[in-house]
Amino acid sequence: MSFALIILAGGKGSRMNSNLPKVMHPLGQVPMLAHVLRTGEELKPRRTVMVVGHGAEQVSDWAKKVNDAITIVVQNPQLGTAHGVAQAKDALADYHGDVVIMYGDSPLILPSTLKELIASRSSSDLVILGFHSNSASGYGRLIMKGNLLERIVEEKDATEKQQQITLCNSGLMAGDKDLIFDLISDVHDDNAASEYYLTDIISIARNRGLSCSVVTCPEEETLGINSQAELARAEACFQARKRCEFMEKGVTLVAPETVHFAFDTIIAPDVKIDPYVIFGPSVEVNSGSHIRSFSFLEGAIIGEGCTVGPFARLRPETTLAEGARVGNFVELKKTELGKNTKVNHLSYLGDTQVGETTNIGAGTITCNYDGVGKSQTKIGDRAFVGSNTMFVAPVTVGDDVMVATGTVVDSDIEDGALAIGRTRMSKKLGGAGKMFALLRSRRK
Ligand code: UD1
Ligand code: CA
């Protein structure tokens, strides 16, 4: 299956009413374009050319970071999808064979569908990916003659009768490269939008006696994102897909519709996720772990048999070893917890390494930032850290240490030491009554 990929990502996306280029709007917490790129790349194209225009610099900088083998071409001004594809001609001058055209605003297409489209290219000169919809709006309609495609009519240009057609254009197309560029050279902009429509190459091909066929896929895959409402609908589809995927693999989701995943979330079988949990990018959860309600995790690796939450916040570069426990109102950032270590209540640990079987008491805080730079805290194995301890980083605490409640740890603690650092409490017997009396007399 040899082909080159052209991705159209140059349009303004005016219906999004946003300064962010449309294809950069996130789906599963990554620009929608990443989904298109990933689907395309999964079938290993010989070349990938991306057409950018609106927000060209932002889109191409991002794309280059994701895949520096992509060829970027700029379309300026943006005169329509046919004009967009035409910009890729020089970049593919030395390539011969099939091309597949994908739209950057249709991120839900599955690799298996793309594969089917490419496979059916052998039976006709051009293949279009279509879908059936009873409520299509904004999509081109496919005018068929028997099993073959005669032409595509854009909704804006369609008669009322044509608008009743339920077979629509997804935007995906496959055909021989030289043929497609040749057909595009005959496209005009005499239509409702005064644009050069890529879809016009079907009727041009038919007039030349060439054959065009249609492969169909479920409507959900072809959702094109043109507005914020469509973006939200695509996100809902993406999340539904992820939830099914994880449940099929053996992940327990108590209330699936309340759990949100990122594009790259990894969850092993036998993980239990309670209602209302959000996964940011780059999270991995290993078998036997339990993520409890209202937790937000990003950039974190959770080992086997851990418990996180409720109300936990795990920030990037956090790692929990097997059996670690993170409880309510705990924030961890760039922090490693060793095996069976517990941070159960109301704590912040940042830039911290904690050993095995250590207990971090309620309200413990690492003072890791001095207003200029970040510093490290290192705590050993089997330590017992009393409640409301402050670790003033940089600081290193050994193994088997006990830190008394309320201590400000401002220097290193040796293995096995007991550290206490707090002002002594004083008391006045019978003083409470006197104090209340004084306070009341002041109120009169
Ligand atoms: C397009 C199709 C329509 C199809 C629908 C599927 C055409 C003329 N119409 O309509 O038949 O049902 O997609 O979602 O192709 N782009 C450029 N340069 C341009 C114009 C667009 O790169 O000059 C890119 C856009 O960034 C977008 C894609 O092409 O990623 C599609 O353009 P858009 O304007 O959204 O087309 P639709 O009106 O949705
Ligand atoms: Ca579109």
Side-chain angles (χ1 to χ4, degrees), residues 33 76 104 150 167 211 234 237 268 306 380 402:
L33 192 53
N76 199 6
E150 279 297 296
L167 185 57
S211 63
C237 287
C306 295
M402 180 181 265

Side-chain angles (χ1 to χ4, degrees), residues 15 22 103 105-106 138-139 170 223-226 230:
R15 285 165 282 174
K22 175 165 75 172
Y103 289 175
D105 67 348
S106 302
Y139 294 103
S170 74
L223 191 69
I225 299 172
N226 303 303
E230 282 168 351

Side-chain angles (χ1 to χ4, degrees), residues 399-413:
D399 295 337
D400 303 296
V401 159
M402 180 181 265
V403 181
T405 292
T407 298
V408 176
V409 179
D410 56 3
S411 62
D412 292 354
I413 304 175

Side-chain angles (χ1 to χ4, degrees), residues 218-231:
E219 181 178 6
E220 175 211 286
E221 274 187 59
T222 63
L223 191 69
I225 299 172
N226 303 303
S227 65
Q228 300 283 354
E230 282 168 351
L231 178 64

Side-chain angles (χ1 to χ4, degrees), residues 37 58-70 72:
L37 272 173
Q58 195 178 352
V59 180
S60 50
D61 284 355
W62 172 85
K64 281 279 181 194
K65 258 188 250 158
V66 178
N67 179 353
D68 62 3
I70 293 182
I72 308 265

Side-chain angles (χ1 to χ4, degrees), residues 7-13 15 22-23 51-53 75 77-85 102-106 131 138-141 152-156 168-172 195-200 222-226:
I7 298 176
L8 283 191
K12 183 158 189 287
R15 285 165 282 174
K22 175 165 75 172
V23 292
V51 181
V52 300
Q75 178 199 19
Q78 297 94 44
L79 302 178
T81 45
H83 179 255
V85 174
M102 292 180 86
Y103 289 175
D105 67 348
S106 302
F131 63 100
Y139 294 103
R141 303 300 201 275
I152 303 177
V153 183
E154 287 306 305
E155 191 173 88
K156 282 180 193 158
C168 301
N169 176 29
S170 74
L172 254 80
E195 281 184 12
Y196 294 88
Y197 292 159
L198 179 64
T199 44
D200 280 355
T222 63
L223 191 69
I225 299 172
N226 303 303

Side-chain angles (χ1 to χ4, degrees), residues 54-207:
H54 184 74
E57 206 173 316
Q58 195 178 352
V59 180
S60 50
D61 284 355
W62 172 85
K64 281 279 181 194
K65 258 188 250 158
V66 178
N67 179 353
D68 62 3
I70 293 182
T71 308
I72 308 265
V73 295
V74 179
Q75 178 199 19
N76 199 6
Q78 297 94 44
L79 302 178
T81 45
H83 179 255
V85 174
Q87 310 310 304
K89 191 173 177 182
D90 289 348
L92 290 171
D94 57 348
Y95 167 82
H96 299 286
D98 275 3
V99 289
V100 171
I101 298 163
M102 292 180 86
Y103 289 175
D105 67 348
S106 302
L108 295 170
I109 307 274
L110 290 171
S112 52
T113 299
L114 187 55
K115 206 169 179 176
E116 205 186 322
L117 179 85
I118 298 166
S120 42
R121 234 291 288 151
S122 52
S123 58
S124 59
D125 296 302
L126 291 174
V127 192
I128 293 284
L129 181 68
F131 63 100
H132 289 279
S133 172
N134 291 320
S135 56
S137 149
Y139 294 103
R141 303 300 201 275
L142 305 187
I143 315 279
M144 304 294 290
K145 194 171 181 186
N147 280 334
L148 291 176
L149 178 62
E150 279 297 296
R151 64 194 179 102
I152 303 177
V153 183
E154 287 306 305
E155 191 173 88
K156 282 180 193 158
D157 303 285
T159 61
E160 248 174 62
K161 199 161 168 237
Q162 286 167 334
Q163 286 186 15
Q164 306 303 314
I165 295 172
T166 56
L167 185 57
C168 301
N169 176 29
S170 74
L172 254 80
M173 183 184 288
D176 176 72
K177 181 209 80 169
D178 292 324
L179 173 66
I180 286 182
F181 285 125
D182 191 36
L183 293 168
I184 283 176
S185 63
D186 279 356
V187 172
H188 297 287
D189 63 352
D190 48 353
N191 52 53
S194 301
E195 281 184 12
Y196 294 88
Y197 292 159
L198 179 64
T199 44
D200 280 355
I201 70 170
I202 301 298
S203 55
I204 296 168
R206 287 297 297 128
N207 285 339

